[in-house]
Amino acid sequence: GWTNDDDGWHLLSIPFESVIVAPSDFAPGANDDLYYYDEPSDMWINWKPGTANSGFNFEKGKGYLCSYMDDDIKSFSGTLNTADVFVDNLTVAGNGSRTEAGWNMIGNPYPSSILWSNSWGSNINAVGKIYPGSGNYIDVDPVNGIPSAQAFFVQVTAETDLAIPTTARLHSDEPWRKSAYAELETLSFEITGGTNTLSDKTRIRFAEEATGEFDTQFDAFKLFGLATAPQLYTMVSEEPYSTNTYAEIELERVIDLEFIPGTSGEHQIELIENTCNEDCFILLDDKFNNITVDITTNNTYKFDANTGDEPNRFQIRFSAVGVEEELQKESLQSYVSGDQLYILGEEGKADLRIFNLHGQELFNEQLELNSQYSRPLDLKTGIYFISLQTAEQTKTAKIIIK
């Protein structure tokens, strides 16, 4: 069941020819919701009376969005689908750019899992979208499983039909097939934080066949989720990607990583997957805090963000071994998130001093540092300078308390 507007949402499909919604367990009450998505109008169509197309019934191969206030096990009955299922009239008439149009919601029409494939029809992009309840849609590659009664989004580039074959069914005693996409070198990032538990994920990966433009067999445009969820995506030619594929890792390449906070507060970017074989550092630049983090060494980066912040905050770079080490010798890598001071890339004993803009010393303490040290700060809003002195050298940095 749901507790607020952000949770309790599910993408639903049926394993039968059709199911009458009312009367059934799925008929929504006053505090429940049931919709289908209409691509041409880019609108969610409400089942409830008094709305356009209200009172619709479930149809095989189609997907629905539902949320019910009470926890409950809902059931439906009918003759199970055992033949190929055809889904007609997938459209690309929706409002907006090519990143927003063409998204159609379809559903697994069988009582077993199926393996998704864009070979079910023509003019269909390879990467689909599922909704795991995180506030955002997550990319799903071909030959990945779609559970029974699960709906998902696919994007088409021209009006088309598709046929979901019975050969796509995956039975319980059959092992999952390994997708060729799983062999691609991949970086996956996850964003969490703010005042809720919602999240988002984005991928950068590498395939020899990738062109640098949008590749229908590898890439996916960003499909934005709940307004209160954090959004993380890469930008290519002013278009948002949730999966962004390049032919190879290039040390000179800079990838724009944009972020929109759904709520204000401390956030965290985490590198949750790294299958890249290249011997290089992966650097995350925070242009707001003017800091660079070796995200391969410190897999998480914490920072403050507020709704309304400019999205163009981060970028990903690839650095040869030793380059970042030299950069870190020139200045102190530090930043403030919430009421915590973070110092990166320093180890051993050091004297930490903090000064205000008038040069007054506010803090002086000897520390034992690790590669990602943090400590609480109790300072008023303003600009400060920190000095870190070791036996070999002194490093300084400016920090901003918001």
Side-chain angles (χ1 to χ4, degrees), residues 290-301:
N290 193 28
I291 189 169
T292 297
V293 178
D294 175 6
I295 199 72
T296 50
T297 302
N298 303 299
N299 288 347
T300 61
Y301 174 63

Side-chain angles (χ1 to χ4, degrees), residues 106-233:
I106 64 175
N108 178 353
Y110 300 115
S112 64
S113 295
I114 57 174
L115 298 176
W116 153 242
S117 174
N118 64 319
S119 65
W120 297 344
S122 59
N123 303 311
I124 306 173
N125 293 343
V127 181
K129 306 276 188 182
I130 60 173
Y131 184 77
S134 63
N136 276 296
Y137 301 97
I138 302 302
D139 293 347
V140 55
D141 292 322
V143 200
N144 278 1
I146 305 295
S148 180
Q150 173 76 57
F152 57 106
F153 275 96
V154 298
Q155 189 180 33
V156 302
T157 56
E159 187 171 318
T160 190
D161 305 325
L162 64 78
I164 306 176
T166 57
T167 54
R169 296 183 63 182
L170 184 67
H171 300 285
S172 59
D173 59 349
E174 183 180 353
W176 288 90
R177 303 171 197 171
K178 191 172 184 179
S179 168
Y181 289 84
E183 302 296 327
L184 299 180
E185 292 183 282
T186 301
L187 302 172
S188 295
F189 298 90
E190 182 176 34
I191 182 76
T192 55
T195 60
N196 55 44
T197 60
L198 303 178
S199 63
D200 197 12
K201 296 178 181 179
T202 194
R203 301 186 295 182
I204 300 170
R205 58 187 182 185
F206 304 91
E208 292 181 0
E209 301 87 350
T211 64
E213 302 295 330
F214 182 84
D215 295 296
T216 59
Q217 282 300 114
F218 298 112
D219 294 327
F221 289 125
K222 168 69 174 170
L223 186 58
F224 289 84
L226 297 177
T228 52
Q231 311 289 326
L232 189 68
Y233 51 94

